[in-house]
Amino acid sequence: MERRNILKSLTVAALALTVSGTSAMAETVLRFSHTDNPGGSRDQAANLFAEKVAEYTEGRYSVRVYPAGQLANDPKAIEQLQLGGVDFTVSATGSYATHLPSLNLTAMPFLVDSFEQGWELYDKSEWLQGEFDKLPEKGFRVLSTWEAGFRSFTTSMELNSPADAEGKKMRVYPNDMIRWTMEAIGFQTVVMPITDVYLAIQQGTVNGQENPVDTINSLRFYEVAPFITLTRHVYSPLPLTVAEKTWQGFSDADKEAISKAAAESAAFSRDLVKSSVNSQLEAMEAAGATVSVPEIGPFRDAVASVYDKARGVYGEEVDKLLADAENIRTAMPIN
């Protein structure tokens, strides 16, 4: 009797070990690359996304987050989505324009005036949703839109008006609309990865860069370019994307689970970034930065030519997006 009980116990233990081993082997690790520093808003949202994916897929998938450009800068991470090197990334909409040029139009200046208008644009614009629907054939798809905020300047000199930009060099990422806008303001533009920008400003290769407050704070650009000028010239959210090959490998249940995790991490990101702007500016001022809000009229006037330049390349697509943005601003006026 005792021998039979021992054998039974050993059999049960062996079965448990087998099941456990099968479960461990069944877990698939997915790679998430981004360029935010550890602890930044994108990194926090990425870790929440990873947590929710594991929870909602009941451990069938886990997401390993690689911050600070460990695997790739933004353009290379998007290429790696196509090639299978990474499974997820999150980057400014314009970063994806290399693969779908019409997305350059999302970086047209002064499309929206508030976070809420921006959220409505990205969630409801018929034109923009139609463009996103073209991305799977490029090798990746949008799962949700995270927040970064409105792009503003950090420079090594005061920037009170476009006149101060003359002869100065501004870092830009590979995006025609951003480049045209910077050149219309008066800057000479220098294209470089965001991971190289801090040192380039420090060495005087460029005189500044433009990014949302959250990015300026996270990547500490204010340390080398201490004049923060809040022009809010471009709304710059961050589509979360998945490699199409990875997506097609998911079951319907796991697609639903991962979509749910993407939506929840987007809501978290939007709330975190919007609620953090003032405290981040205060912290940067305390660290020695000078924060100013210039008269916006001269900047708006300077970039007026950008819309016509865009029409020369993208035709009627420009006015489709401008119409969506105008309808949203009208329906959701700033109080």
Side-chain angles (χ1 to χ4, degrees), residues 160-239:
N160 298 315
S161 73
D164 294 327
E166 294 296 330
K168 302 299 192 297
K169 294 181 179 179
M170 176 61 53
R171 174 267 174 180
V172 296
Y173 65 97
N175 178 277
D176 286 344
M177 208 61 55
I178 293 290
R179 180 169 57 80
W180 294 344
T181 298
M182 296 302 103
E183 290 171 353
I185 289 172
F187 288 108
Q188 299 174 32
T189 55
V190 179
V191 176
M192 69 174 62
I194 196 168
T195 45
D196 296 344
V197 173
Y198 187 103
L199 186 60
I201 298 174
Q202 191 174 49
Q203 294 179 338
T205 305
V206 294
N207 300 106
Q209 63 87 50
E210 47 83 53
N211 255 301
V213 167
D214 183 76
T215 304
I216 293 168
N217 180 65
S218 174
L219 300 184
R220 307 178 75 87
F221 290 139
Y222 61 89
E223 293 179 343
V224 288
F227 294 95
I228 302 173
T229 307
L230 300 176
T231 48
R232 293 164 56 92
H233 50 273
V234 172
Y235 178 61
S236 186
L238 305 164

Side-chain angles (χ1 to χ4, degrees), residues 43 133 209 241 255 268 295 302 334:
D43 191 52
D133 287 344
Q209 63 87 50
T241 49
K255 287 178 181 177
F268 170 85
E295 183 182 349
I334 301 295

Side-chain angles (χ1 to χ4, degrees), residues 251-311:
S251 67
D252 288 345
D254 287 334
K255 287 178 181 177
E256 184 177 345
I258 288 166
S259 295
K260 183 178 179 182
E264 291 185 9
S265 59
F268 170 85
S269 171
R270 286 176 170 180
D271 180 68
L272 176 63
V273 172
K274 181 187 175 185
S275 64
S276 298
V277 170
N278 288 339
S279 62
Q280 289 173 337
L281 289 171
E282 289 169 2
M284 289 189 283
E285 281 188 304
T290 299
V291 178
S292 63
V293 180
E295 183 182 349
I296 298 300
F299 287 93
R300 285 184 181 272
D301 292 343
V303 303
S305 62
V306 173
Y307 306 111
D308 287 333
K309 195 165 187 176
R311 288 185 184 98

Side-chain angles (χ1 to χ4, degrees), residues 68-90:
Q70 289 178 22
L71 297 183
N73 61 34
D74 287 321
K76 292 296 183 183
I78 295 167
E79 288 180 11
Q80 287 299 309
L81 289 178
Q82 299 171 304
L83 300 173
V86 301
D87 301 287
F88 302 100
T89 195
V90 61

